[in-house]
Amino acid sequence: MKVIMLGAPGAGKGTQAKKIAAKYNIPHISTGDIFRENIKGETQLGLKAKVYMDQGLLVPDELVLELIVDRFKAPDCKDGYVLDGFPRTIPQAKALDAALVKNNDRIEFAIDVYVADEVIIDRMAGRRACLDCGRTYHVDTLKPKVEGICDYCNTKLVLRDDDKPETVKMRLEVYHEQTQPLLDYYKEKGILYSVDGTGAIDDIYEEIIQVLMA
Ligand code: AMP
């Protein structure tokens, strides 16, 4: 199964992507996580990407495509994947389609998790991240067992630079301008499904599963 998660930054698509990936036993591929791992490892790719990410801007398409095309070659992708944060521009979507068509393949579902901008700005201000494993929590809605500490790594949780309100506003602008056009792109292909992203995590998940099983 090949699924794309769409939605603004902070809409909760990463949380849902992880749950879907676990249910179908396919990898959850987050380009944001891959960039953050590269930043942590101080790779060339990480150093280049950081300049854009810290400003809330998109990393240029050619850098993203370079890393994602490599990722699809890994053996764990043989039964599909859940893409989270990719594609984010029309050129990325077209490049993805072109890569799949070569293997007579295609994306089956594009799931849009919809949340209004004001709700996202509030949510992101409360989000806390573990810079070791990439897991995210929320000070009100997804608390770690011990306040401020990652359940898995025992590392101190932080407010990511790109989750700060001024950066979030910029990311939302970038989303509306460059990523939202993908909704029409996948609607025209007949594979767009929109879910309301403001309910409880498990209810949203159930709604998505109904779509994937239909
Ligand atoms: P995310 O964790 O998906 O919100 O991604 C964090 C940041 O990584 C974004 O704000 C972008 O700067 C960068 N990024 C992640 N995925 C992409 C992509 N597909 N295209 C361009 N930039 C990306």
Side-chain angles (χ1 to χ4, degrees):
M1 176 179 304
K2 295 189 172 69
V3 183
I4 291 177
M5 301 303 291
L6 296 169
K13 61 187 186 307
T15 306
Q16 297 298 335
K18 285 190 192 97
K19 288 169 81 73
I20 298 164
K23 177 174 169 72
Y24 290 98
N25 201 19
I26 49 178
H28 160 225
I29 303 180
S30 152
T31 39
D33 283 353
I34 301 176
F35 283 131
R36 281 184 286 277
E37 278 158 25
N38 275 274
I39 291 173
K40 213 175 120 200
E42 296 182 355
T43 67
Q44 282 294 91
L45 177 69
L47 294 175
K48 283 188 204 159
K50 190 174 185 326
V51 179
Y52 299 93
M53 288 170 75
D54 283 352
Q55 298 177 69
L57 300 173
L58 292 188
V59 175
D61 287 341
E62 56 281 10
L63 284 186
V64 185
L65 290 169
E66 200 179 301
L67 78 91
I68 200 89
V69 169
D70 254 12
R71 181 65 186 85
F72 291 151
K73 290 182 190 148
D76 65 340
C77 289
K78 70 175 186 345
D79 294 329
Y81 36 72
V82 184
L83 297 181
D84 165 17
F86 176 87
R88 247 178 164 106
T89 63
I90 294 281
Q92 288 180 19
K94 288 190 171 161
L96 173 63
D97 283 347
L100 289 170
V101 148
K102 272 191 206 157
N103 297 323
N104 216 357
D105 210 348
R106 66 185 178 90
I107 296 293
E108 294 152 82
F109 301 96
I111 309 280
D112 171 41
V113 182
Y114 175 75
V115 178
D117 285 10
E118 313 77 74
V119 179
I120 287 182
I121 294 168
D122 268 4
R123 267 193 194 177
M124 302 281 257
R127 187 148 89 162
R128 296 293 177 269
C130 169
L131 297 184
D132 254 349
C133 69
R135 283 189 177 81
T136 52
Y137 301 83
H138 191 278
V139 290
D140 297 322
T141 52
L142 196 61
K143 294 180 183 179
K145 291 192 187 99
V146 178
E147 197 186 319
I149 304 288
C150 176
D151 290 350
Y152 299 86
C153 311
N154 244 356
T155 308
K156 198 165 180 288
L157 300 174
V158 296
L159 176 64
R160 263 177 16 201
D161 283 345
D162 60 348
D163 285 346
K164 292 185 175 153
E166 55 287 8
T167 319
V168 171
K169 284 187 189 141
M170 171 55 85
R171 291 172 74 194
L172 285 169
E173 263 177 48
V174 168
Y175 168 76
H176 290 302
E177 208 175 286
Q178 300 193 54
T179 307
Q180 209 171 338
L182 291 180
L183 300 184
D184 278 340
Y185 181 85
Y186 289 112
K187 194 172 177 186
E188 273 166 30
K189 289 184 181 293
I191 58 165
L192 180 73
Y193 303 86
S194 260
V195 297
D196 175 357
T198 53
I201 289 174
D202 285 340
D203 294 342
I204 301 166
Y205 171 68
E206 278 310 318
E207 203 179 326
I208 297 175
I209 293 302
Q210 293 306 320
V211 169
L212 300 183
M213 291 198 316

